[in-house]
Amino acid sequence: MKQLFWTLAAAVTVSFTACIKVNIDDSTTNNGSTTPVGATLQERIISSKVITGSINENVELPKGKYTLRGYVYVNDRARLTIAAGSIIVSDTVNKGAIIVEQNSRLIAEGTASEPIVFTSGKAPGQRRPGDWGGIILLGNAPTNRSTPPIIEGGVNAVYGGSLANDNSGIIKYVRIEFAGIAADPNSEINGLTLGGVGNGTVFENVQ
């Protein structure tokens, strides 16, 4: 990431149509959304348009608008892929955040004409900084700590290691707006929080 990383860090305010067809039957989930019996995690998210809980298997989301509800952990070496042109809005009550844990990846690869936007779930004109958490990437790259530290923001996840070329994913042509919340005093989730992220991770054109 070299100089680009530092440019990105300075730019982000921190305290540091192809469609996938889902076969639907008459069954419903507990929240009332129509979802096929035995549906995969990917099918459930596409059907409900809601990203919530843990993502512990590879999920590829087609272009669309999705609601991020609460803290979502990408773990167990899973990969969350979001198509160009997608809009991810946070639930206004259960403020969202995406936490990509060590050995997992976020692939959010937008384009100049179809960026991926992470934003507030409030109506335009009512959106304010702090409407949701943000994105946290946690890698295995070296840090200046003697033991693996825990990232701030109340997510209780560690970062750091010995893999300088560790890969936490791709973030290209992505806009992150109206984010940043404090879990505790001096312990915040920023718009984009990076912990031990290796130089195998790609950042390009991030606002």
Side-chain angles (χ1 to χ4, degrees):
M1 297 182 292
K2 299 180 181 178
Q3 184 175 356
L4 175 60
F5 173 86
W6 298 111
T7 301
L8 174 65
V12 178
T13 301
V14 294
S15 312
F16 98 177
T17 261
C19 294
I20 295 178
K21 183 178 180 181
V22 180
N23 295 319
I24 304 296
D25 66 8
D26 293 332
S27 300
T28 59
T29 61
N30 290 334
N31 64 10
S33 64
T34 306
T35 307
V37 173
T40 65
L41 176 59
Q42 174 171 300
E43 289 172 328
R44 293 198 299 271
I45 294 174
I46 295 172
S47 175
S48 66
K49 298 295 184 182
V50 174
I51 307 170
T52 191
S54 294
I55 295 177
N56 52 16
E57 59 187 72
N58 291 344
V59 169
E60 296 185 15
L61 300 182
K63 179 182 175 181
K65 184 176 181 179
Y66 302 89
T67 296
L68 181 66
R69 183 172 295 158
Y71 285 13
V72 173
Y73 290 82
V74 184
N75 51 31
D76 289 346
R77 298 183 178 274
R79 183 176 63 249
L80 172 61
T81 303
I82 302 173
S86 293
I87 300 174
I88 314 297
V89 300
S90 174
D91 186 274
T92 57
V93 176
N94 296 313
K95 293 185 177 183
I98 296 178
I99 300 98
V100 182
E101 297 197 61
Q102 290 177 306
N103 305 310
S104 295
R105 297 181 185 181
L106 173 63
I107 309 297
E109 193 166 359
T111 66
S113 59
E114 290 194 300
I116 297 172
V117 179
F118 296 86
T119 189
S120 165
K122 294 181 180 179
Q126 299 178 6
R127 298 168 177 169
R128 297 289 184 272
D131 280 351
W132 67 291
I135 298 172
I136 298 176
L137 297 184
L138 304 173
N140 297 287
T143 71
N144 60 357
R145 306 290 185 88
S146 58
T147 58
I150 296 175
I151 200 71
E152 64 180 64
V155 300
N156 195 33
V158 301
Y159 65 94
S162 59
L163 302 177
N165 63 345
D166 191 41
N167 184 350
S168 294
I170 301 172
I171 300 183
K172 287 185 178 182
Y173 288 101
V174 166
R175 189 164 80 239
I176 304 169
E177 57 186 24
F178 303 108
I181 56 176
D184 297 296
N186 300 314
S187 180
E188 307 91 0
I189 296 178
N190 301 290
L192 179 61
T193 303
L194 308 178
V197 174
N199 60 29
T201 311
V202 176
F203 294 96
E204 293 181 9
N205 297 291
V206 179
Q207 180 181 6

